[in-house]
Amino acid sequence: MKDESIEKAHKLKHDLLSGAGWRTILHKFKRVTSAKDIDGMGEKQQGLKFIAKQKDEEEMREQRSPLPPTFLGCPSTLLLKEMFDHNKAAVEQDKDKSSKMKDEIFEKAWNFEAHLRSCLHCCLFPDSYEFEKQTMVQLWVAEGFFEPEGDRMEDRARAHFDNLLEKEYVVATEFDSFGAPVKYKVTDAMHRFLQIAPQVGVSYLKVEETDQLGSVSEQMQHLFLISKNIKPTSFKILSRFKHLHTLVLLCEHGSSMGRVPQDLFYSVKQLRSESLRRSGISEIPISIGSLKSLRYFDVSGTPIKCLPESIVRLQNLQTLKLDGCANLVGLPLKISKLANLRHLEFDLRGPMPVKMGNLTNLQTLRAFPVGTEDGCHIVELKHLVNLRESFCISRLENVLSSHEAKEAAMTNKKYIRELALRWGYRCSGSSKSEEEILDFLKPTACLQKLRILFYNGSIFPSWINNGSYLCNIVNLTLHSCRNCLVLPSLGGLPSLKVLCIVEFSEVRFIDNHFRISYGNEVDHAFPKLEKLTIGGMPSLEEWSGVVNGDFPCLSYLRISSCPKLVSLEWLSFLCSLKSLEISDCEKVFLLANYKLSSLLEYLSITNCPNLKIIFCKREASGASQIAHVPFIRIDFEKILLKDGETKC
């Protein structure tokens, strides 16, 4: 028995020193049963010295490798050092401790491999190539870098991406209007990684042109092909790579690839991730159904018209990306059979396939248009509890009853952060019925952004006023709610930063009701609001109820298309205001009687004749109110201030 254990240990040592694959090493290590087996390796110091010679530690630190310092050119070093650093005497006395320690080492080594492989995946993107965080996360998950823990593999991958971002191996290159990063690229430090880890990166390759494919090893597993145009002969060469797990084609915009040969997919049956994004491919062959291991498939930005029905055979498919496919007329009718589908990204132009509620693992689904056919009702959303990030429910006029809305169970969608509820633009349904439906579409308390569009009710449900419930809401848009007579009470929403209310044609007054919270007075209404847009209210005559201390953080205010509005005397209370735009408010005239914020940097007045008269007259009364403002535009013309006068 002892000889057998020593033999196992020697074999493990051989695997470690030869740079064998992690899964092979870890599988064998799980069978090493005691510290004696480890000790039986012998010559451990010699082994460590052998590995240390592979790469100098100091050189690696200078290269800013994304790996820990314990990685010395061989992926097994971390595991080897962990094994030899044990207190063997203590382990031998306690078999349970020995088992627990082996599990801990296994977990650390496995996590290390995920780190290693994910870095190599990043290295294959070109220097200037920009990608979304979601894309990288989906690729990592498809390759199995992160072990399942419930349904949260993506969360672990996102945390890992954030770690690379923090260490500047990945940097943000594009941001949205709120400053949040939306595009990234890999830095030089990450690209040097392939040179730092040649033994591990042997199955990863980035090819600049298709002409170089002929010299690539047939054992290649992860291939990124960067080319201006994909030649038909390239597919014949690609069919040689029987062990290919990842195939990403990065083509220039306007590339034309035409059809993929039928036999290609029969040859690369181990493929897990395939991206033909913007490749110009016009048709997906039926043989796609033979890729039983495929988890990630991206044909975004291509002129394909449809997907073959054979795609529903891909029971392991996790991600299907069809963004920007302008010619796409619809999805396969039986797409609901893809039970493991987690991310479905497409621009809907045709009807939604039936029974989407069967896709209970779905996390990404941007929109669900409610239909009238069986299998297309809003109740299909009931079991889609894993939906996350942004989601829109459209054609709500097709919801038959409030009971159906309740069955959708929107409060259970705890991972959704942005929600849009949209009725048809030209629909004029029952006001009372829509009020009940909206009441039962109450979203999760974790929601951060909410949009309600073309709602025909005359009042809003109480949950929208509840600052204790919607405590995380940051951005709120109410658009074209034509039958509403009063604005909801939103002043107590504690986290609200952006508010847009437009096209409320029946509202005549904005008063104290707008600033209260859930029926209760507040000391300072809208405590975090930074940006407010009010417009498209042809009946609005008066805006009152604002008290000193309200809107303490408001820096941007836009008021437009309120032709009957007369007074805005509360503007003097806005101490943080930096940008003020007023347009198409012909009767407003009292603005100049009140001092504007000393922080005001931009003032725009358009089609407001009373204000133009006040601000452009040469007497000091009007001009003095805006003398401190560095940029002023009246009726699209910049005006200059000199010695208390304005030049219009």
Side-chain angles (χ1 to χ4, degrees):
M1 184 68 180
K2 180 179 179 181
D3 292 341
E4 183 181 349
S5 296
I6 292 175
E7 183 181 349
K8 287 181 182 178
H10 276 295
K11 185 67 173 68
L12 177 58
K13 174 193 170 186
H14 177 269
D15 290 336
L16 290 167
L17 299 184
S18 64
W22 271 99
R23 285 177 171 80
T24 301
I25 294 170
L26 294 174
H27 179 69
K28 292 178 179 178
F29 177 59
K30 291 290 279 184
R31 298 202 301 256
V32 177
T33 56
S34 72
K36 287 183 179 180
D37 298 336
I38 298 173
D39 196 38
M41 290 181 183
E43 302 177 349
K44 60 187 179 186
Q45 294 301 326
Q46 181 181 351
L48 285 173
K49 288 179 181 178
F50 174 83
I51 297 172
K53 289 179 182 178
Q54 305 295 313
K55 202 52 105 167
D56 181 78
E57 245 183 312
E58 188 61 36
E59 178 185 339
M60 288 195 51
R61 278 194 288 270
E62 292 175 358
Q63 293 280 355
R64 297 185 72 242
S65 167
L67 291 176
T70 47
F71 177 78
L72 305 177
C74 172
S76 312
T77 307
L78 180 68
L79 178 58
L80 190 62
K81 287 179 68 63
E82 288 273 7
M83 290 162 64
F84 287 134
D85 286 344
H86 291 192
N87 185 336
K88 294 185 180 66
V91 173
E92 287 176 354
Q93 295 173 6
D94 189 342
K95 292 184 178 180
D96 291 336
K97 184 175 181 180
S98 174
S99 177
K100 181 179 179 182
M101 188 169 290
K102 283 188 294 181
D103 289 340
E104 289 176 354
I105 296 174
F106 185 84
E107 182 179 357
K108 288 181 180 179
W110 192 275
N111 289 338
F112 178 73
E113 186 205 13
H115 180 92
L116 178 69
R117 302 296 181 187
S118 61
C119 289
L120 285 166
H121 246 70
C122 289
C123 295
L124 295 178
F125 283 102
D127 295 356
S128 59
Y129 186 81
E130 294 181 329
F131 54 86
E132 297 177 353
K133 178 179 180 179
Q134 179 81 334
T135 297
M136 189 63 72
V137 165
Q138 291 167 349
L139 280 170
W140 287 345
V141 170
E143 290 299 329
F145 294 157
F146 298 92
E147 287 298 283
E149 289 185 2
D151 296 315
R152 309 295 289 180
M153 288 187 293
E154 285 83 359
D155 288 346
R156 295 181 63 199
R158 289 186 191 99
H160 178 64
F161 187 95
D162 292 340
N163 184 47
L164 295 180
L165 185 64
E166 182 181 352
K167 294 179 179 179
E168 297 184 354
Y169 303 127
V170 174
V171 294
T173 58
E174 186 179 320
F175 302 83
D176 63 17
S177 58
F178 299 102
V182 293
K183 292 285 182 68
Y184 303 84
K185 73 174 183 177
V186 175
T187 63
D188 291 341
M190 185 70 85
H191 280 294
R192 286 196 295 266
F193 184 34
L194 280 177
Q195 286 75 48
I196 293 172
Q199 293 184 24
V200 188
V202 70
S203 63
Y204 289 76
L205 187 63
K206 176 171 55 179
V207 177
E208 298 292 340
E209 281 298 339
T210 56
D211 296 339
Q212 303 174 15
L213 282 174
S215 59
V216 176
S217 167
E218 294 183 3
Q219 303 302 313
M220 189 57 54
Q221 292 183 332
H222 307 279
L223 181 62
F224 279 49
L225 179 57
I226 307 163
S227 181
K228 295 179 181 178
N229 223 339
I230 306 297
K231 301 176 182 178
T233 55
S234 303
F235 294 115
K236 186 175 182 180
I237 301 175
L238 285 172
S239 64
R240 294 170 43 237
F241 305 122
K242 310 295 184 183
H243 305 285
L244 204 59
H245 282 190
T246 305
L247 176 60
V248 177
L249 303 186
L250 299 175
C251 305
E252 290 188 354
H253 185 68
S255 298
S256 178
M257 191 170 71
R259 297 183 178 184
V260 175
Q262 284 280 355
D263 57 352
L264 174 62
F265 293 145
Y266 291 130
S267 303
V268 289
K269 291 188 176 182
Q270 295 186 32
L271 206 60
R272 289 187 173 192
S273 304
E274 181 176 18
S275 175
L276 304 176
R277 182 182 180 89
R278 295 179 182 173
S279 62
I281 184 173
S282 59
E283 185 176 337
I284 308 296
I286 297 175
S287 58
I288 186 76
S290 66
L291 300 178
K292 302 301 183 183
S293 298
L294 194 66
R295 291 166 170 79
Y296 177 97
F297 189 48
D298 184 359
V299 286
S300 300
T302 62
I304 62 170
K305 296 180 180 179
C306 61
L307 293 173
E309 288 293 334
S310 61
I311 203 169
V312 303
R313 301 178 196 158
L314 306 180
Q315 289 303 300
N316 289 307
L317 191 64
Q318 298 172 345
T319 300
L320 179 58
K321 306 185 81 162
L322 302 160
D323 288 323
C325 296
N327 298 332
L328 188 69
V329 296
L331 296 174
L333 296 177
K334 297 181 180 180
I335 198 171
S336 60
K337 289 187 175 182
L338 296 175
N340 287 304
L341 196 62
R342 303 166 78 90
H343 308 282
L344 178 57
E345 303 176 12
F346 68 105
D347 303 319
L348 184 67
R349 290 180 174 84
M352 182 69 81
V354 299
K355 298 183 179 179
M356 293 293 287
N358 292 342
L359 301 176
T360 55
N361 288 309
L362 209 56
Q363 297 179 17
T364 303
L365 179 67
R366 297 201 188 109
F368 180 87
V370 180
T372 55
E373 303 84 6
D374 289 343
C376 296
H377 295 172
I378 196 172
V379 295
E380 292 294 319
L381 300 178
K382 181 176 183 177
H383 298 297
L384 301 186
V385 296
N386 292 309
L387 290 175
R388 59 191 65 201
E389 301 307 327
S390 179
F391 185 56
C392 172
I393 309 177
S394 61
R395 303 179 190 171
L396 282 168
E397 66 276 9
N398 290 330
V399 177
L400 300 178
S401 66
S402 58
H403 175 73
E404 272 198 349
K406 184 178 181 180
E407 284 289 297
M410 294 305 297
T411 53
N412 294 341
K413 316 288 190 287
K414 60 182 180 180
Y415 304 122
I416 292 179
R417 296 295 174 265
E418 301 180 9
L419 176 64
L421 302 174
R422 185 186 185 108
W423 279 260
Y425 175 69
R426 298 185 181 278
C427 295
S428 55
S430 166
S431 176
K432 184 66 175 176
S433 174
E434 292 195 12
E435 290 169 12
E436 294 175 351
I437 288 170
L438 184 57
D439 193 15
F440 282 113
L441 291 177
K442 179 180 179 180
T444 171
C446 301
L447 200 67
Q448 297 175 355
K449 183 176 180 179
L450 174 64
R451 294 188 300 145
I452 300 176
L453 303 95
F454 309 116
Y455 167 62
N456 286 308
S458 58
I459 59 173
F460 283 87
S462 59
W463 55 259
I464 203 171
N465 309 326
N466 191 342
S468 298
Y469 184 75
L470 292 183
C471 57
N472 296 301
I473 202 81
V474 173
N475 191 316
L476 175 60
T477 296
L478 305 176
H479 190 287
S480 295
C481 302
R482 295 176 287 261
N483 293 331
C484 283
L485 301 177
V486 295
L487 299 186
S489 302
L490 304 174
L493 297 179
S495 302
L496 188 63
K497 292 185 177 182
V498 180
L499 176 60
C500 178
I501 304 177
V502 293
E503 304 299 332
F504 277 59
S505 56
E506 297 300 318
V507 171
R508 295 180 59 196
F509 304 100
I510 301 177
D511 53 22
N512 187 60
H513 178 79
F514 182 51
R515 68 177 298 276
I516 63 176
S517 172
Y518 211 48
N520 301 316
E521 289 286 342
V522 293
D523 293 332
H524 302 293
F526 302 97
K528 296 286 183 67
L529 194 66
E530 299 174 0
K531 185 175 181 179
L532 174 61
T533 300
I534 298 288
M537 299 187 184
S539 302
L540 183 63
E541 300 173 7
E542 180 182 341
W543 188 346
S544 62
V546 181
V547 301
N548 199 359
D550 289 352
F551 302 103
C553 300
L554 191 67
S555 61
Y556 174 90
L557 174 62
R558 181 180 182 184
I559 303 171
S560 64
S561 301
C562 301
K564 294 184 179 181
L565 183 62
V566 176
S567 174
L568 291 172
E569 55 189 44
W570 47 266
L571 286 177
S572 59
F573 298 151
L574 306 182
C575 57
S576 300
L577 195 63
K578 294 182 179 180
S579 177
L580 175 61
E581 299 178 24
I582 304 176
S583 62
D584 300 310
C585 298
E586 292 88 342
K587 291 189 177 181
V588 170
F589 70 93
L590 293 177
L591 175 63
N593 293 335
Y594 300 88
K595 188 168 181 61
L596 297 175
S597 167
S598 60
L599 301 178
L600 195 64
E601 299 172 350
Y602 177 77
L603 174 64
S604 175
I605 304 296
T606 304
N607 193 24
C608 301
N610 291 335
L611 294 182
K612 183 175 182 178
I613 292 173
I614 292 174
F615 287 143
C616 289
K617 67 181 181 181
R618 296 191 179 275
E619 292 81 12
S621 59
S624 64
Q625 303 300 321
I626 57 175
H628 63 288
V629 182
F631 194 97
I632 303 171
R633 190 178 295 277
I634 296 181
D635 286 340
F636 306 107
E637 294 184 7
K638 184 178 179 180
I639 69 169
L640 301 175
L641 291 172
K642 183 178 180 181
D643 300 327
E645 296 182 356
T646 58
K647 296 182 179 180
C648 297

